[in-house]
């Protein structure tokens, strides 16, 4: 099969391969330290490189050494291996401005997370790693503008839901070709299911993961995809998770069908550890047992502030469930418990942090990066109370929490709020209104799915008048362009995610107007 690879990825892949082929396979000495020399029959950089968490003076650089990526230990010896890193001002890596050494340790799956500081604000950099005589592809990254600085523009792409079996990653290739300043990944980076041949274009590599070894193989198998690697290598990512990074429809210490919180928390600890190992995250995010602090703020000068939240780890249980185990009811009526003002999808501490952050933001555009459709979605027939129902797994299971955010946006006069999301395997654009038929307080845009199928029915959405666009049949990603004068959200869809490389087109575009919240189609 000949696979089209976008030019940037192809260049990087070739560069990585060439540097491997040209190197003598002797133990290398870097900074006087003799490195362990794992067998170099295979490329230790098989999972690519990534960067993330940009600030105005630095960024996190990531890689994981895995010459045999589908083995639980990645084909690495049980010892620490030194990894040299370099950051340059040019793609040819001639003007190196920062360099150092990190240790890839077995208890971290031989991943490295380098927190580079001392870089200049608001500019491009390139980086690479060297380990055990091999050199990684070169990645591009971007630092954030200085705090409060005027900024002309920000281009970010956002994506979610990339089930490996459901399709190929052309969307990532197109995202890479846009050379955005930033990529937001909003959850379902992996799916935890066992290999299933029905409708699969390729199969999961291992049985359903439940422990560190299993999740390592699952994450590594996704990360071997060259188009996903290209998207990581083109820009810094900010990531959050949804449910499938651990288990379907889980919340806090419960998965969808078990009443074994202790057992589930052990599984969650393994999944969170391996998630950390595979993402360009800061050390302060490193999990402790089953806990991992993932909510945070990203500033982009005076132009934008992004609050990235975690709606899985701290949520209250599903409302209005039938008595007795297992509690599975995903679809619920408009029941009393659903509306309980004490309930939170973010959990009290995170919610307090978010409401404070929103009130104190001085940025012109305020983006809430969250996992799912933030707008209400009435399923069934909204005209008939008796047949009206909701999904309990998203904001509709926690409407009081959503109302408190809308209220804060309105009362604190937060400048130009909008919410981005994923999860529903559809493109959606909706007004967020505080009251039925009230004026929009904000807009929300779900940027489709990279490959996952089976989105909510378009017909249900048509019965929700605040939802201005809904398309669950196509795959792709969202793009947001922001300037001080205004912005644009564009839904980018691939023609066919079932083939390895497919062209992209615009499905729809929406204007972001300064001081005029809501969905404005262009
Ligand atoms: Fe999904
Ligand atoms: Ca999901």
């Amino acid at each position: 099969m000949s696979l089209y690879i976008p030019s940037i990825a192809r260049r990087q892949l070739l560069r990585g391969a060439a540097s491997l082929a040209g190197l003598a396979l002797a133990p290398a000495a870097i900074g006087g330290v003799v490195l362990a020399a794992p067998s170099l029959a295979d490329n230790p950089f098989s999972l690519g490189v990534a960067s993330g968490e940009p600030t105005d003076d630095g960024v996190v650089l990531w890689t994981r050494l895995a010459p045999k990526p589908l083995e639980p230990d990645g084909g690495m010896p049980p010892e620490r291996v030194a990894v040299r890193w370099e950051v340059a001002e040019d793609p040819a890596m001639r003007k190196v401005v920062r360099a150092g050494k990190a240790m890839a340790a077995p208890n971290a799956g031989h991943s490295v997370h380098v927190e580079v500081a001392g870089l200049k604000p608001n500019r491009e950099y390139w980086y690479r790693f060297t380990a055990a005589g091999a050199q990684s592809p070169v990645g591009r990254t971007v630092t954030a503008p200085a705090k409060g600085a005027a900024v002309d523009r920000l281009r970010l792409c956002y994506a979610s839901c990339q089930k490996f079996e459901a399709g190929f990653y052309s969307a990532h290739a197109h995202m890479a070709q846009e050379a955005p300043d930033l990529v937001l990944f909003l959850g379902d980076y992996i799916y935890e299911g066992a290999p299933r041949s029905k409708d699969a274009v390729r199969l999961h590599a291992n049985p359903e993961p439940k422990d560190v070894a299993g999740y390592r193989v699952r994450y590594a198998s996704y990360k071997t995809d060259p188009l996903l690697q290209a998207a990581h290598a083109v820009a810094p990512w900010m990531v959050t998770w949804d449910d499938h990074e651990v288990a379907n429809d889980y919340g806090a210490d419960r998965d969808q069908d078990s009443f074994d919180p202790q057992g589930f928390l052990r599984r969650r600890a393994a999944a969170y550890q391996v998630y950390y190992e595979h993402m360009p995250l800061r050390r302060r995010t490193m999990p402790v047992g089953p806990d991992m602090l993932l909510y945070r703020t990203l500033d982009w000068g005076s132009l934008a502030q992004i609050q990235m939240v975690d709606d899985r780890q701290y949520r209250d249980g599903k409302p209005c469930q039938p008595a007795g185990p297992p509690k599975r009811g995903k679809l619920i009526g408009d029941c009393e418990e659903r509306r309980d003002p004490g309930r939170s999808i973010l959990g009290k501490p995170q919610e307090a942090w978010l409401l404070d952050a929103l009130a104190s933001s001085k940025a012109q555009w305020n983006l809430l990066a969250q996992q799912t459709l933030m707008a209400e979605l009435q399923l069934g027939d909204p005209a008939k109370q008796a047949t009206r129902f909701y999904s309990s797994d998203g904001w509709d299971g926690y409407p009081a929490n959503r109302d408190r955010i809308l209220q804060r946006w309105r009362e604190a006069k937060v400048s130009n709020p909008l919410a981005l999301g994923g999860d529903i395997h559809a493109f959606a654009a909706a007004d967020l209104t505080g009251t039925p038929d009230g004026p929009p307080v904000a807009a929300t845009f779900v940027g489709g799915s990279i490959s996952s199928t089976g989105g909510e029915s378009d017909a249900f959405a048509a019965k929700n008048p605040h939802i201005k666009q809904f398309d669950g049949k196509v795959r792709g990603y969202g793009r947001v362009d922001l300037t001080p004068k205004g912005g644009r959200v564009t839904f980018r869809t691939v023609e066919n995610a079932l083939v390895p490389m497919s062209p992209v087109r615009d499905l729809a575009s929406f204007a972001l107007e300064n001081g005029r919240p809501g969905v404005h189609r262009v």
Side-chain angles (χ1 to χ4, degrees):
M1 176 180 65
S2 86
L3 175 63
Y4 168 80
I5 295 169
S7 58
I8 184 163
R10 192 168 55 231
R11 268 201 315 278
Q12 285 162 345
L13 292 171
L14 289 175
R15 203 177 284 144
S19 55
L20 260 183
L23 281 164
L25 304 186
I30 289 174
V33 178
V34 177
L35 308 183
S39 161
L40 285 186
D42 299 295
N43 174 12
F45 296 106
S46 63
L47 307 182
V49 299
S51 71
E53 306 292 313
T55 62
D56 59 0
D57 87 325
V59 73
V60 174
L61 306 181
W62 172 93
T63 194
R64 181 186 162 216
L65 305 181
K68 292 184 168 58
L70 301 187
E71 293 181 8
D73 62 4
M76 292 294 289
E79 54 198 69
R80 285 152 57 90
V81 176
V83 180
R84 181 171 166 77
W85 57 270
E86 297 165 280
V87 176
E89 290 185 343
D90 62 313
M93 300 297 298
R94 289 200 187 88
K95 282 177 265 165
V96 172
V97 291
R98 286 283 180 281
K101 192 189 74 181
M103 297 305 288
N107 63 2
H110 290 97
S111 61
V112 296
H113 299 75
V114 179
E115 300 194 11
V116 183
L119 302 179
K120 294 175 193 149
N122 198 19
R123 66 154 293 160
E124 289 177 295
Y125 287 95
W126 287 264
Y127 62 94
R128 73 179 166 204
F129 300 93
T130 310
Q135 208 163 65
S136 78
V138 173
R140 167 189 177 265
T141 193
V142 180
T143 51
K147 276 239 164 11
V151 182
D152 294 345
R153 59 178 290 278
L154 165 63
R155 165 167 286 189
L156 68 84
C157 293
Y158 66 104
S160 59
C161 295
Q162 53 184 12
K163 189 173 187 184
F164 189 78
E165 299 186 317
F168 293 100
Y169 293 167
S170 324
H172 277 304
H174 294 298
M175 208 158 74
Q177 283 178 323
E178 309 221 23
D181 301 303
L182 187 66
V183 172
L184 308 180
F185 198 88
L186 303 179
D188 291 355
Y189 190 96
I190 61 152
Y191 283 70
E192 82 287 9
R196 264 192 66 202
S197 57
K198 188 179 174 300
D199 298 329
V201 298
R202 46 187 180 173
L203 285 176
H204 278 147
N206 61 327
E208 179 169 343
K210 303 227 164 133
D211 56 12
V212 167
Y215 281 108
R216 277 183 183 155
V217 172
R218 183 56 57 94
Y219 275 87
S221 66
Y222 275 60
K223 280 189 163 279
T224 56
D225 187 287
L227 305 183
L228 175 58
Q229 290 186 16
H232 272 295
V234 82
W237 283 38
M238 294 285 293
V239 299
T240 188
W241 51 40
D242 193 31
D243 52 339
H244 290 290
E245 281 84 353
V246 181
N248 185 48
D249 285 357
Y250 88 92
D253 60 0
R254 298 284 167 90
D255 71 9
Q256 62 177 351
D257 47 19
S258 102
F259 265 141
D260 175 18
Q262 293 304 319
F264 181 70
L265 284 177
R266 278 194 295 278
R267 182 178 185 182
R268 195 179 94 176
Y272 283 8
Q273 178 188 328
V274 177
Y275 182 79
Y276 176 81
E277 288 173 1
H278 288 82
M279 297 295 151
L281 289 164
R282 291 191 180 272
R283 272 188 297 276
R284 65 162 184 259
T285 312
M286 192 187 293
V288 178
D291 303 317
M292 181 162 155
L293 191 68
L294 201 56
Y295 56 89
R296 59 212 188 278
T297 295
L298 172 69
D299 285 298
W300 209 264
S302 63
L303 186 64
Q305 188 171 84
I306 300 170
Q307 320 296 346
M308 189 161 241
V309 299
D310 166 6
D311 77 11
R312 285 285 163 192
Q313 192 174 177
Y314 315 108
R315 60 166 63 187
D316 289 312
K318 290 190 201 315
C320 318
Q321 297 296 298
K327 286 194 169 188
R328 295 198 67 143
K330 183 163 178 171
L331 294 176
I332 53 172
D334 192 5
C335 52
E336 187 104 4
E337 188 187 4
R338 186 179 91 90
R339 300 189 163 275
D340 179 350
R343 291 169 47 73
S344 179
I345 195 172
L346 299 177
K348 292 285 146 51
Q350 180 178 206
E351 192 181 325
W353 161 84
L354 175 64
L355 296 179
D356 279 356
L358 294 176
S360 56
S361 171
K362 294 183 174 61
Q364 183 182 355
W365 302 96
N366 285 279
L367 280 62
L368 180 59
Q370 51 85 48
Q371 283 87 343
T372 186
L373 176 69
M374 203 173 166
E376 182 176 277
L377 179 64
Q378 287 188 16
L379 304 165
D381 185 352
K384 292 188 205 140
Q385 179 75 23
T387 61
R388 193 191 294 174
F389 54 98
Y390 301 89
S391 166
S392 64
D393 190 53
W395 290 94
D396 283 340
Y398 309 79
N401 194 164
R402 176 172 54 206
D403 288 345
R404 288 190 289 273
I405 295 171
L406 291 172
Q407 191 182 358
R408 180 56 54 100
W409 275 339
R410 202 172 47 232
E411 289 177 356
K413 300 191 166 46
V414 176
S415 177
N416 298 313
L418 67 144
L420 304 177
D423 177 51
I424 58 172
H425 305 178
F427 285 93
D431 285 336
L432 290 169
T433 57
T435 52
D437 309 319
V441 176
T444 185
F445 300 95
V446 175
S449 67
I450 292 286
S451 58
S452 307
T453 54
E456 308 285 1
S457 152
D458 301 7
F460 285 145
K463 295 175 187 162
N464 292 260
H466 57 285
I467 297 182
K468 309 297 183 189
Q469 162 105 26
F470 198 101
D471 194 331
K473 291 180 220 58
V474 283
R475 316 273 71 89
Y477 61 95
R479 187 180 69 208
V480 181
D481 289 294
L482 296 174
T483 76
K485 290 205 170 72
R488 178 71 55 104
V489 177
T490 307
F491 291 164
R492 304 271 286 159
T493 62
V494 296
E495 199 167 84
N496 182 2
L498 302 178
V499 299
M501 195 60 212
S502 179
V504 70
R505 68 178 185 95
D506 292 353
L507 176 73
S509 273
F510 306 92
L512 300 173
E513 297 181 6
N514 210 5
R516 230 188 115 218
V519 174
H520 311 291
R521 187 189 282 278
V522 290

